[in-house]
Amino acid sequence: MSSVDAALPAARSREESILAGNLRDFLANRMSVAASLICLAFCLIAIFAPMLAPQNPYETDLLRRLQPPAWMDGGERGFWLGCDALGRDVLSRMIYGTRVSIMIGVAVVLLATVIGTTLGLLAGYLRGPVDIVIARVCDILLGFPYLIFAIGLMAMMGPGLQNIILALCYKEWVLPCRVVRAETLAAREQDYVEAARALGASRWHIMRREILPNILSPVIVVATFRMAYIIIAEASLSFLGLGVQPPTASWGSLVADGRAFLLDAWWVSTFPGLAILALVLAINVASQGLRDAFDPRLSR
Amino acid sequence: MSPLRLAERLLQLIPVLLGISVIVFAMMALTPGDPVQIMLGDSLADQAQRDSLRRDMGLDLPVVERFFRFLGNALTGNFGLSFFHRRPVMDVILERLPATIELTLVAMLIAIAVAVPLGVIAAVKRNSLLDRIATVGSMLGVSMPGFWFGILLILLFAVNLHILPVSGRIGFGYEVKMATGFVLIDTLMAGRLDSFLDALRHMLLPAVTLGLAMSALLMRVTRTSMLEALSQDYVTFAEAKGLSRLRVVGRHALKNALIPTVTVAAIETGSLLGGNMIIETVFGWPGLGRLVVEAIFSRNYPLVQAAVLIYATTYVLLNFLADLLYTVLNPKVRL
């Protein structure tokens, strides 16, 4: 017992130095750091939306119908990116739309990661029938076309925040589940797990306290990568009119709002789309840096 | 692949397809609202007529029995009547299917034609300016929301430059009699070159939009596998023999480097199906994807159900074909 305790601090400090090294690698990659800062900025915009938005995003004013951006003829200070067909300020609606995109992205990835990690740990550690059942369900879900079923689910369940999260989650957990299962299978044969088992630790304790902390980095890498996809998927659903309902602003529905007025008001569709591109690009670049630093095995 | 392995792999498709049909059926069963009510709308049908319609549609049966009925009907391509069109759902779908298949194939061709040469050049001239541009471009491509990219293209080429049409499949006055449903083939068969070119102009923007994400992905895959192939001994050997660079790259490395590209292309064709629904909506393309989106909003559930089932089955079969292709191309892999 005492020898195990004595070995622990040494192991932990080595673990920390690996993490610190990973972090140093990540911080050395200037592109990824810049991209992470952009992601952070978007999060701050989402949190402080009511303070940042120059106008009320829901206030319609038909006199300002399709008013151009501030720097163009007919533009007006305070309505920087112009107005939509109901005279609502595009910039303010975009700022509020950030909330929807980020909230849904985070909620879906978080939920999927928690479900996937739990099932992956159970499958990988317990093996046997539990593993077989979970693996079969994963196989079946992997055969499902993601967006088509999400669209079908939204069509049937009807729009709404909770339903979008469910429609995007239905198969999202499969990926973290598979990654965690594979990592757990490898980890359960390691000495530290063997030692914990010899000390009489419960299965639950071993999964949660011994294995989980050691396999977290691939889980985090996968989660950040998927966030980009989920944000585009949510925007696509909202664009089709299957996302959050009006008058709530979502980037996808803002792009759709401007589609009918492309001839005389290009700004209504263009700026919200640019916001989606900026956030998704930033997440992709940041997660690539994260992957290179924390889990080089996943690099292609 | 041995015939036995092939049979096993085919058998594995059954639970997947069964799972898909259970969920598609459940979607319908759990949908709020009474199908009879939706179908009849505000018509003056009395209770007896409603009950008889309910019996005709099999809605009075227990759920399990209804599922097996649905499955049996689906296997024979019978999905009932479309609420809106008052015609068999399958007829309506088959009418729209060629437009979607045509668009998907052209998008795939464009994606491959752009991605493969770019990926090869980026790998051969590694770390050059062109390589960097290609890498940044592919990052942009995967991060781009397709529906917005389509709108930008419309703004640029149709609204501002007036060189390409905004939407539709063929211009007014260029229509030809449809025989195969594939407009590029039908126009050629009718001997109308002007119609063919017009159809091509209509197809360009939607196909490029649909193919964008795929070409970004394919370029990355091609670049990576080409880099790997170039580092192999047989390439060094071929160079040592004094073969020209072009010959080494074109004849020796490319053949091996393309294996992952072909596989990814086959798998990604399945995801193009999902993109279809969105891109067809943006460009007013009269295909299955737009039909489904319209059906969702008119609560035409039998059509949605049938289309989702058909899309999902196609997706599963495409993935199966991709697996097969991978084993055929790469004898080292045993599935």
Side-chain angles (χ1 to χ4, degrees):
Chain A
M1 182 80 191
S2 60
S3 68
V4 173
D5 278 344
L8 265 177
R12 188 143 301 157
S13 79
R14 212 179 118 243
E15 185 68 20
E16 268 163 18
S17 71
I18 292 174
L19 268 181
N22 288 341
L23 202 63
R24 244 198 326 278
D25 285 350
F26 180 71
L27 292 177
N29 186 341
R30 267 177 297 170
M31 278 286 278
S32 315
V33 173
S36 316
L37 289 178
I38 294 176
C39 295
L40 187 69
F42 271 108
C43 291
L44 292 176
I45 290 174
I47 295 169
F48 297 108
M51 276 171 243
L52 292 169
Q55 309 293 337
N56 177 347
Y58 303 112
E59 195 179 298
T60 60
D61 178 359
L62 289 181
L63 291 177
R64 291 211 168 81
R65 186 172 191 272
L66 301 179
Q67 177 176 295
W71 64 88
M72 285 170 63
D73 283 346
E76 186 185 343
R77 287 165 65 93
F79 295 85
W80 302 106
L81 299 181
C83 297
D84 68 4
L86 296 175
R88 294 172 297 194
D89 181 39
V90 170
L91 178 63
S92 303
R93 289 182 69 71
M94 278 170 61
I95 290 175
Y96 273 81
T98 316
R99 295 189 140 183
V100 175
S101 286
I102 290 185
M103 195 168 75
I104 292 177
V106 170
V108 170
V109 170
L110 210 61
L111 195 61
T113 306
V114 170
I115 297 174
T117 306
T118 311
L119 292 178
L121 272 173
L122 289 174
Y125 191 73
L126 300 179
R127 298 202 290 196
V130 180
D131 186 19
I132 292 172
V133 170
I134 293 176
R136 278 287 154 275
V137 174
C138 285
D139 282 346
I140 292 175
L141 282 178
L142 274 183
F144 281 34
Y146 205 122
L147 204 54
I148 292 166
F149 262 86
I151 290 174
L153 287 171
M154 285 311 286
M156 300 302 165
M157 296 189 298
L161 209 59
Q162 199 186 335
N163 290 351
I164 307 175
I165 294 173
L166 287 179
L168 291 175
C169 257
Y170 83 91
K171 116 174 213 194
E172 187 56 37
W173 59 270
V174 172
L175 200 61
C177 177
R178 292 201 145 190
V179 171
V180 169
R181 177 183 172 274
E183 296 284 331
T184 309
L185 277 178
R188 77 194 295 276
E189 308 301 333
Q190 302 279 319
D191 289 343
Y192 68 88
V193 174
E194 193 63 48
R197 213 177 291 145
L199 289 172
S202 70
R203 292 192 291 193
W204 179 237
H205 174 91
I206 293 176
M207 281 188 263
R208 208 164 51 101
R209 304 300 292 271
E210 305 291 338
I211 298 181
L212 186 61
N214 281 294
I215 60 171
L216 266 185
S217 50
V219 175
I220 293 169
V221 169
V222 169
T224 47
F225 258 106
R226 295 302 297 173
M227 180 90 77
Y229 180 85
I230 296 296
I231 287 177
I232 289 199
E234 182 275 322
S236 304
L237 287 178
S238 296
F239 173 78
L240 290 177
L242 294 169
V244 290
Q245 282 309 281
T248 308
S250 145
W251 288 344
S253 63
L254 292 181
V255 173
D257 285 346
R259 214 161 69 85
F261 311 101
L262 282 185
L263 273 175
D264 22 47
W266 54 269
W267 51 90
V268 185
S269 280
T270 307
F271 293 118
L274 204 58
I276 306 174
L277 176 63
L279 177 59
V280 172
L281 191 62
I283 295 177
N284 273 332
V285 173
S287 56
Q288 201 167 34
L290 212 59
R291 182 196 62 192
D292 292 346
F294 281 78
D295 202 357
R297 281 171 307 156
L298 288 175
S299 305
R300 263 190 291 178
Chain B
M1 191 189 285
S2 68
L4 198 71
R5 199 72 193 85
L6 184 71
E8 199 185 325
R9 192 68 185 70
L10 267 171
L11 282 178
Q12 283 171 0
L13 292 181
I14 294 174
V16 175
L17 291 175
L18 209 60
I20 286 175
S21 42
V22 168
I23 294 201
V24 170
F25 173 78
M27 273 181 182
M28 187 74 161
L30 296 177
T31 300
D34 177 8
V36 172
Q37 184 64 40
I38 296 169
M39 199 164 170
L40 291 177
D42 297 328
S43 78
L44 294 170
D46 60 26
Q47 196 53 44
Q49 285 168 314
R50 285 172 195 271
D51 286 345
S52 113
L53 182 62
R54 195 179 303 276
R55 260 194 311 282
D56 286 348
M57 289 168 76
L59 290 170
D60 54 339
L61 299 169
V63 171
V64 178
E65 204 176 327
R66 269 165 62 199
F67 172 69
F68 282 108
R69 261 193 166 201
F70 162 75
L71 202 62
N73 284 336
L75 285 174
T76 54
N78 173 11
F79 291 98
L81 285 182
S82 159
F83 288 171
F84 176 70
H85 303 82
R86 308 266 163 196
R87 288 165 52 203
V89 164
M90 207 53 196
D91 290 3
V92 182
I93 287 179
L94 285 178
E95 210 172 85
R96 297 289 202 106
L97 202 56
T100 293
I101 295 176
E102 195 172 31
L103 181 64
T104 310
L105 286 178
V106 174
M108 197 176 79
L109 284 179
I110 293 179
I112 292 173
V114 173
V116 171
L118 265 181
V120 170
I121 296 173
V124 173
K125 304 225 176 275
R126 194 182 183 181
N127 291 331
S128 67
L129 182 68
L130 199 111
D131 183 20
R132 298 228 171 116
I133 293 175
T135 308
V136 172
S138 81
M139 196 54 144
L140 267 176
V142 282
S143 306
M144 185 78 79
F147 56 92
W148 184 65
F149 184 65
I151 286 176
L152 285 192
L153 290 182
I154 291 177
L155 264 177
L156 183 63
F157 291 102
V159 174
N160 284 322
L161 299 176
H162 298 290
I163 47 178
L164 288 171
V166 175
S167 71
R169 213 173 162 204
I170 196 159
F172 184 71
Y174 289 104
E175 298 97 333
V176 293
K177 201 171 152 289
M178 289 299 206
T180 61
F182 295 91
V183 72
L184 290 181
I185 297 174
D186 285 339
T187 47
L188 281 184
M189 272 170 41
R192 293 275 303 271
L193 194 64
D194 56 336
S195 295
F196 176 77
L197 291 175
D198 187 66
L200 216 52
R201 287 178 58 229
H202 276 83
M203 197 169 295
L204 195 58
L205 292 186
V208 167
T209 312
L210 188 59
L212 175 80
M214 182 169 171
S215 70
L217 191 68
L218 284 185
M219 203 221 78
R220 254 199 237 178
V221 173
T222 309
R223 179 180 176 275
T224 313
S225 53
M226 192 69 193
L227 278 177
E228 202 182 310
L230 286 176
S231 69
Q232 299 289 317
D233 288 344
Y234 62 82
V235 169
T236 320
F237 179 68
E239 276 181 335
K241 276 199 307 189
L243 293 183
S244 72
R245 184 80 177 152
L246 190 70
R247 222 186 139 105
V248 173
V249 171
R251 289 283 294 275
H252 295 256
L254 190 62
K255 240 195 292 182
N256 289 298
L258 280 186
I259 295 171
T261 311
V262 171
T263 319
V264 173
I267 295 173
E268 281 302 302
T269 310
S271 359
L272 285 186
L273 296 174
N276 261 325
M277 294 199 187
I278 292 151
I279 304 304
E280 287 182 10
T281 306
V282 173
F283 288 95
W285 188 259
L288 184 54
R290 197 171 134 222
L291 182 72
V292 175
V293 175
E294 285 165 0
I296 288 173
F297 288 105
S298 56
R299 306 225 283 168
N300 191 349
Y301 294 128
L303 206 156
V304 178
Q305 198 178 26
V308 170
L309 201 61
I310 289 170
Y311 268 127
T313 310
T314 316
Y315 180 85
V316 170
L317 293 180
L318 277 173
N319 277 358
F320 173 66
L321 284 180
D323 275 1
L324 273 191
L325 206 60
Y326 191 60
T327 14
V328 171
L329 289 177
N330 195 353
K332 276 187 292 186
V333 179
R334 288 274 164 267
L335 224 57

